[in-house]
Amino acid sequence: GESVGLHLPTLSVQEGDNSIINCAYSNSASDYFIWYKQESGKGPQFIIDIRSNMDKRQGQRVTVLLNKTVKHLSLQIAATQPGDSAVYFCAESRNFGTGTSLTVIP
Amino acid sequence: GAGVSQSPSNKVTEKGKDVELRCDPISGHTALYWYRQSLGQGLEFLIYFQGNSAPDKSGLPSDRFSAERTGGSVSTLTIQRTQQEDSAVYLCASSFDRYEQYFGPGTRLTVT
């Protein structure tokens, strides 16, 4: 069946460094992916999305890369800040990965 | 504008009792989703409503779980004969078609 998974459950980075969060998916027909950020005690919030006809999409301090050949996508956060500490999920439709917990060390 | 709201924010119930959780989606959103999230875990899909189509109930874990969406707007998730393993945060989200979902704050359910 379809699944969306993440490579690492936790990630710690120094403030100011760049963060990279990875995600793998299994359904080659998937055509739309979304990254969400979930802060403690809150529901997930949309960060950025990408369609399968794109390889890269940039937002404010965030970039999503999509590699359809290996069914992999990544979220890059530039100049990571303490406010970026949260759990990050990649999602394809209503399939969510287990999340990566990002901790930013001041 | 107003986001997705859920009520109650917290619910403590005794094992065996029924509970109803409510979700008010963003006005105009055609799709509504329910998820369950256990502590430190990812989101488990439960049910999906899209317009007037039959709901996708494929994620409901047992027949004790049901949901309805009245008038294409408000949705209620009902759990009958609650069990301790039902304890979790129940998240509702709405979206326009299949695009990004807007989540409510969730209902934290504790079954004692």
Side-chain angles (χ1 to χ4, degrees), chain A residues 30-60:
Chain A
S30 298
D31 62 352
Y32 180 60
F33 302 90
I34 304 174
W35 282 96
Y36 291 90
K37 172 186 180 183
Q38 186 177 28
E39 296 175 294
S40 181
K42 298 181 179 179
Q45 278 188 299
F46 170 85
I47 302 174
I48 191 168
D49 58 2
I50 189 167
R51 299 187 186 283
S52 59
N53 61 352
M54 305 170 70
D55 297 324
K56 178 179 180 179
R57 189 159 191 227
Q58 288 185 292
Q60 187 176 18

Side-chain angles (χ1 to χ4, degrees), chain A residues 21 34 52 70-71 82-83:
Chain A
I21 301 171
I34 304 174
S52 59
V70 295
K71 292 185 282 189

Side-chain angles (χ1 to χ4, degrees), chain B:
Chain B
V4 177
S5 61
Q6 292 186 245
S7 60
S9 55
N10 282 283
K11 175 72 176 179
V12 180
T13 190
E14 292 180 351
K15 177 182 173 181
K17 295 288 179 71
D18 297 352
V19 295
E20 285 189 351
L21 312 179
R22 177 187 169 106
C23 173
D24 285 83
I26 292 173
S27 178
H29 278 187
T30 56
L32 187 147
Y33 311 74
W34 282 98
Y35 297 89
R36 178 168 69 176
Q37 187 174 33
S38 299
L39 186 63
Q41 301 297 311
L43 274 67
E44 176 188 4
F45 166 73
L46 297 177
I47 188 168
Y48 162 66
F49 297 89
Q50 172 61 55
N52 295 321
S53 303
D56 176 358
K57 304 179 181 181
S58 61
L60 294 178
S62 77
D63 59 8
R64 296 186 296 104
F65 288 72
S66 63
E68 60 179 25
R69 188 180 186 191
T70 54
S73 181
V74 172
S75 178
T76 301
L77 176 69
T78 301
I79 309 173
Q80 296 178 309
R81 305 181 302 282
T82 51
Q83 304 294 313
Q84 288 186 329
E85 60 263 30
D86 299 335
S87 296
V89 175
Y90 289 82
L91 290 161
C92 173
S94 70
S95 70
F96 179 71
D97 200 3
R98 59 189 286 267
Y99 299 111
E100 66 265 25
Q101 297 172 39
Y102 292 80
F103 283 82
T107 293
R108 181 175 297 279
L109 176 66
T110 303
V111 182
T112 61

